Amino acid sequence: MRVRRDVSGLTVGDRATAMAGEWHPILDAYARGVEAMKALDEAGPPTPESWMWAANTHGIDQFTPRRAAWAQCTHASLFFLPWHRAYLAWFEQHIRDASGDDDWALPYWDYSAPGSSRRLPVEFQVEQRTVDGVLVDNPLFSPARSSQPIPVDSADIVEALAQPNYLLEREPGFGGALPDQFFGTVEDRPHNYVHMAIGGVMRSPATAGRDPVFWLHHANIDRLWEVWLSLDGSIRLTDAAGTPPELVSAWDSSTFWFGDEQRPKTYAMAAVEDLADEAMDYEYESIVLADPLADLVAERRAAIIEASGGGLGLDEAPKWQPVAATFDLASGEEREIPFEGGGLGLDEAAPTRLMLELAGATAHDPHAAYDVEIRSAPDAEAHLVRGFSTFGLAGTPDDEVRNYLVDASPVLPDLLAEGWAGGALTVRLLPAAEPEPEPGGDGDDDAGDPDDDGGDDRADDRAIQVAQVTVYVQTP
């Protein structure tokens, strides 16, 4: 089996060497393969072996005509992980063919590793490299990327890996949620947040595949799937109690195809789930979490299981009860949402968990991420919970729709301590605070969120519009 290696062990480490010196053979082969694929596009329209065909397979912008093989990417879907795994395998073979290196395997970028600089390898930062003594354009360089490291919070993987269920109802599982229109924990973070932090064409599904670092980012997301599977207690979609038989059948029978519409390369789900299958034929250099991370994931997983009362799978997990809704909420607008039927009877059984569903979100040019401010009453103290990244809304048509689940349970103890009666909540969506620039990058670099003014979205053409906000609770 080929081995996908961590790019941190392949990089030369400094810009001067990256421009003038020799690269590791894996990154050199990648650059040669990308260059050869891009050369095919210069000769005419994209072909199944060219760079833009590979990129367009993921997504296309408004100026690119549609065709059956393009704009296939599955996001906010329980098929997000298997589709992208097959996509990477197909692309990996193209790089082997274009570079002439039949043993080549796609590296991964582990920006979450303890001690990681969380910066792009220098081979992706320099505009030129030296080949056979000649300075040439670097095919791995993409303009408009951020020079800042990935923020620590954006690269966090604890919450993603801690979730023991691949799939849950009205709550993010590791790989998705039901109904099948929400992000799973690993797709939410780190996937979406890292896309936005890198900036440039990576900010939009329509163009992300054009950036050579896209493939290393997705190799890491694919690796995290293997990490999750290796953890004690992780429950696959097909193994979970209560998974609808028709969903299991749809999963098992899925086939993914790429390339020439007349002679496509196909990947069956059975092959996608088995890295030893000849269609995959790779393994990762490491799927073992470092001790600090492993301990944090284990502690958080234990807390998730305790909060669910030990119930796992769709049958056993506690059910979410809708208690309130409001419509047409714009970010920046403060809105009190009264609960149907009045209070929840908190003297008898206070809620143990609190979830917000934001359905039908649209935007023209949203901020990189939004958080949710929650108050027990309009004049009460504000409590902030992490919201969502807008990857999937940024750079897409104005009528593109996304749906989000925001777990507000962390602030529930504060609400109850304030004497919250359970009759209403006041909510407001706000642009997430931008991290302070770190040394070593451009101090004024804001490629991850261009034109961010750090304010709220009222009277702002960057506002996000949410068609419906629904409040759910779980009770003992």
Side-chain angles (χ1 to χ4, degrees), residues 307-308 318 320 349-354 407-410 412-413 416 473-476:
S308 69
W320 289 99
T352 55
R353 299 189 63 201
L354 181 65
D407 189 352
S409 303
L412 186 55
L416 294 173
V473 298
Q474 285 182 0
T475 55

Side-chain angles (χ1 to χ4, degrees), residues 363-384:
H364 173 65
D365 182 26
H367 294 271
Y370 286 81
D371 291 332
V372 183
E373 184 183 83
I374 299 178
R375 302 173 189 264
S376 58
D379 57 351
E381 180 182 354
H383 305 284
L384 201 65

